[in-house]
Amino acid sequence: MCFGGDLVGTATTAPTEDTTEPTVWGLIGNTPLIPIATDAARDTGGRLFLKAEWLNPGGSVKDRPAREIMRVGLAEGALPRKRLLDASSGNTAVAYAMLGAAARIGVTVCVPANASSERFRLLAVFGAEVVETDPMEGSDGAIRRARELAAAEPERYWYADQYGNRANPVSHYRTTGPEIWRQTGGAITHLVAGVGTSGTLMGAGRFLKEKSSDVQLISVEPDAAFHGLEGLKHMASALVPGIYDPSLIDRQVFVDTESSESAVRTLAQERGLFVGWSTGAALVASDQLLGEGDATVVVVAPDGGGRYLSETRRWARG
Ligand code: PMP
C-alpha cells in the first residue's frame, strides 16, 4: 500500500498522509469481484463475476493506467515541470484530473465534445484544462488534436499518449491481472473486456495467460463505426492503438449499443448494480460464453452508470 496508516480504521492510531505519493493515489485498485448468478450460468454450471472498477476513487478502471503513466512522467522529471497532455474519451481524462490535482500536476485533456456531461462536470471539479474536439471524429479526433498541441508546444506539454504508452498495459499487468487471479483462486477461464486503448485486456490478459495458458481473452467492440459505447473503439475503422496486439486475443465479439443499454438496465433493475454502457456490452458477450459450458467468466466493469445518468431520462420509472 502506498498510503500511510490504516484507512479502514482497524488500527488504533489515526492514519497519516503519506509524503511520497498523495493519499488518493494509494486508494486505486483492489476492487471487489462481484458474483452474478445468471440463468445462462445456472443451466451450464458456469460462474460469472463483475470486476467492479467503478469503485476506484476516480470512478473508473482508468485510474490504474493514469497513475502508472504519471509515475513514469514524474520519474523522467517531465512532470510536474510540464503539463500532462492526453486524448481521452473521458474516463482517463477524469483520472488524470483527479490524480493531477492531488499531486499539483497541471492537466490538459482533449475530449470529444459528445462525451457525457457528467465527465465534463468532473473535469471542471478537478480543475483540468479541457480542449473539446469534433464529436463526429470521436476519440480519433481527440488523438489528432493532442498530437498537434504536443508538436506545437513541446515545452508546455508532456504528451502522455495512453494509446501508445506501455505504462498503460503494465498497470493492468501489475494490478488488475493479479487481483483477478487471486480473487478467483486461479479458476478464471475467460476474461471479457471492452477495448478502447486495449490496455486492460492486453495487460491483465497477458498476466493471466502467463499464469495459465488456458485462460481465454475475449475482446468486445462496438458493431459499427458510429456507436454509443463511450470508451470503446471499433478497431476496423479507427486509429489502432500502438499497444494493441490482436494476436493475444482468442475471440472478438461485436455488440450493438441498444442491447448493451438493455443489459445495463436489466442489471440495475434486477440486481441493484448500475454499471456503464461498455459493461453492458461485455455482459452481452459473456452470455455466449456461459451458454457454452462450465466456465468461470470475469467481466471487467470499467465504470458505473452514474457517468451516464443524463442518458437515462427516457427509462421507465415503474
Ligand atoms: N469502457 C469505458 C467506459 C472506458 O472508458 C474504457 C477506456 N477507454 C474502456 C471501456 C476500455 O478500456 P481500455 O482503454 O483499457 O481498453
Side-chain angles (χ1 to χ4, degrees):
M1 284 292 179
C2 301
F3 50 78
D6 166 31
L7 296 188
V8 291
T10 52
T12 49
T13 54
T16 52
E17 189 158 20
D18 195 293
T19 49
T20 50
E21 273 194 356
T23 305
V24 75
W25 288 43
L27 298 176
I28 296 167
N30 291 314
T31 53
L33 192 69
I34 304 176
I36 309 282
T38 68
D39 291 342
R42 248 190 310 273
D43 293 345
T44 57
R47 295 190 298 168
L48 173 64
F49 296 94
L50 271 188
K51 182 69 173 151
E53 289 300 296
W54 71 86
L55 292 173
N56 279 299
S60 89
V61 68
K62 304 305 298 204
D63 285 1
R64 299 178 189 260
R67 179 178 63 177
E68 196 71 25
I69 286 170
M70 287 174 131
R71 281 176 176 162
V72 171
L74 287 165
E76 286 176 1
L79 303 177
R81 196 168 50 82
K82 298 183 185 184
R83 297 183 69 80
L84 179 147
L85 167 72
D86 211 349
S88 162
S89 61
N91 280 336
T92 311
V94 172
Y96 286 141
M98 176 192 74
L99 300 173
R104 310 281 196 276
I105 296 169
V107 168
T108 301
V109 280
C110 300
V111 181
N114 58 340
S116 73
S117 56
E118 287 82 355
R119 288 183 173 82
F120 285 111
R121 295 262 179 91
L122 283 166
L123 291 170
V125 163
F126 291 119
E129 182 178 78
V130 181
V131 179
E132 289 190 31
T133 61
D134 187 343
M136 297 308 286
E137 293 184 30
S139 58
D140 286 356
I143 293 170
R144 281 190 282 269
R145 188 83 187 98
R147 286 178 182 165
E148 283 165 17
L149 286 173
E153 291 189 77
E155 272 317 300
R156 177 170 153 85
Y157 295 121
W158 180 71
Y159 180 35
D161 186 17
Q162 61 158 333
Y163 291 88
N165 194 326
R166 305 295 322 159
N168 174 355
V170 162
S171 72
H172 295 288
Y173 182 90
R174 290 189 178 153
T175 66
T176 323
E179 286 171 30
I180 291 172
W181 183 254
R182 195 176 62 242
Q183 288 171 311
T184 59
I188 179 173
T189 59
H190 299 79
L191 177 68
V192 184
V195 286
T197 66
S198 76
T200 310
L201 193 63
M202 295 296 113
R206 201 176 293 275
F207 177 88
L208 292 167
K209 271 195 181 287
E210 282 175 16
K211 282 289 178 191
S212 163
S213 55
D214 292 340
V215 174
Q216 303 275 296
L217 305 186
I218 319 299
S219 75
V220 183
E221 290 186 37
D223 69 343
F226 288 98
H227 60 88
L229 300 173
E230 273 181 54
L232 300 193
K233 255 183 189 281
H234 181 253
M235 292 293 178
S237 61
L239 284 175
V240 177
I243 58 172
Y244 180 61
D245 176 5
S247 70
L248 210 62
I249 294 171
D250 296 286
R251 200 188 301 192
Q252 293 174 298
V253 181
F254 298 88
V255 181
D256 65 273
T257 305
E258 291 68 33
S259 44
S260 307
E261 180 174 344
S262 160
V264 166
R265 193 167 156 173
T266 304
L267 193 73
Q269 298 184 353
E270 292 183 2
R271 319 262 164 183
L273 292 169
F274 187 26
V275 296
W277 273 219
S278 67
T279 308
L283 282 169
V284 172
S286 75
D287 258 354
Q288 292 181 13
L289 306 168
L290 288 164
E292 287 168 16
D294 179 18
T296 297
V297 178
V298 174
V299 165
V300 178
D303 63 3
R307 228 148 249 197
Y308 307 83
L309 263 186
S310 53
E311 293 173 38
T312 59
R313 285 193 194 95
R314 63 192 178 284
W315 287 17
R317 280 163 208 256

